[in-house]
Amino acid sequence: MRQPVTLTTDGPLAVITLTAPPLNLFDQALIDSLSQAVHQVAAEHPRGLLINAEGRAVSGGVDVHLFDGLTPDQGGKLWDDLLALIHTVEDFPFPTVFAAHALCLTAAFELSLACDLLLAAEKAKFGLVEIVVGLTPSMGGPQRLAERAGPARARELVYTGELYPAATLEQWNVVNRVLPDEGFAEAAHAFALKIANGPTLAHAATKRLVREQLNGGARAADAIVAETSGPLFGSEDLKGAVRSFLDEGPGKATYTGR
């Protein structure tokens, strides 16, 4: 039986793919398989992660059968477990990219917001539609939308439960780049692989500085620059890149992640 989530690698890049088409619904089997893949990535320490999906949709959202009959305590436990998964992805010390080729609802959209960068095909649409079952998005969606687009846009998107095209969310700074539908999967993979081949330790430092700014402001990030960026001068990547720049000019360096 095919797993609803697969994990493959392409050199330094790990690729998690939702493989339960056509809708990749987040039922318990998919959630368990996704959790296993995420924890395997954490154990294997790649230099980048791409999350994508097969089928006519990235995901139709959560299988509503999962909510039927839950008590408040059980509901709280479900969200705690799913948020732990979100936090694991968000805290990876390497770049993470989510590629949305089509409709991306609820849990999948929230997972995309835990990634560093969100790429979308022109035809992709996004929605947090939990109001149809009387819920608010509870895998971190509202708060991460607020980080990217501001609180008013986050409230609008959640309150209305409407579907928003990729171009609109690019204008709102939720989507990083909108790419052509034709060849989207290949372009997104190439984009993620290029980043994964970059200076991994420097990328980790960037992630830490941006997170510190979000938590405490620019001065809080300034306060950890020395401890975060100073050690990069001891890395093989920086030493090699500096020598490459001086000997051959910019853009010729290659990186190993060390």
Side-chain angles (χ1 to χ4, degrees):
M1 182 178 178
R2 191 184 192 195
Q3 290 295 310
V5 175
T6 62
L7 173 61
T8 58
T9 58
D10 182 4
L13 180 68
V15 183
I16 289 176
T17 305
L18 307 184
T19 52
L23 295 179
N24 295 308
L25 292 179
F26 275 63
D27 58 12
Q28 194 60 56
L30 188 145
I31 291 169
D32 290 344
S33 186
L34 176 62
S35 179
Q36 181 180 358
V38 166
H39 286 97
Q40 188 174 341
V41 168
E44 294 179 354
H45 304 291
R47 293 168 57 198
L49 171 65
L50 172 66
I51 301 179
N52 59 19
E54 296 179 355
R56 72 169 186 258
V58 176
S59 176
V62 177
D63 184 344
V64 177
H65 290 95
L66 201 62
F67 300 145
D68 191 27
L70 287 185
T71 67
D73 286 345
Q74 291 169 331
K77 173 66 163 53
L78 173 66
W79 299 132
D80 280 346
D81 291 344
L82 289 172
L83 279 169
L85 183 64
I86 292 294
H87 294 164
T88 300
V89 172
E90 196 167 51
D91 291 343
F92 280 145
F94 45 78
T96 55
V97 179
F98 193 99
H101 68 282
L103 182 67
C104 185
L105 298 182
T106 69
F109 189 11
E110 293 183 279
L111 177 61
S112 78
L113 295 171
C115 294
D116 298 327
L117 303 175
L118 173 52
L119 307 180
E122 292 169 325
K123 68 181 179 183
K125 291 187 177 182
F126 299 82
L128 296 178
V129 298
E130 283 84 349
I131 60 168
V132 299
V133 292
L135 275 171
T136 186
S138 298
M139 285 175 59
Q143 48 271 47
R144 283 162 183 77
L145 276 173
E147 280 185 352
R148 296 185 183 218
R153 290 300 192 188
R155 287 190 289 264
E156 176 191 339
L157 200 148
V158 175
Y159 288 172
T160 64
E162 294 175 356
L163 301 184
Y164 290 79
T168 296
L169 293 191
E170 185 183 31
Q171 293 174 354
W172 291 6
N173 295 322
V174 176
V175 168
N176 289 89
R177 296 189 183 185
V178 177
L179 304 178
D181 295 330
E182 185 70 27
F184 172 77
E186 295 78 9
H189 187 102
F191 178 91
L193 182 60
K194 180 179 179 180
I195 291 177
N197 274 311
T200 311
L201 297 177
H203 289 335
T206 298
K207 289 187 69 161
R208 186 180 177 198
L209 291 169
V210 172
R211 176 52 52 188
E212 193 67 22
Q213 188 279 329
L214 289 170
N215 291 339
R219 288 298 181 94
D222 291 347
I224 66 165
V225 165
E227 67 183 80
T228 302
S229 297
L232 295 176
F233 287 96
S235 70
E236 293 179 18
D237 279 348
L238 186 146
K239 292 176 182 178
V242 168
R243 180 47 50 196
S244 174
F245 185 98
L246 294 175
D247 291 346
E248 305 174 77
K252 305 289 178 40
T254 58
Y255 302 100
T256 64
R258 296 190 297 271

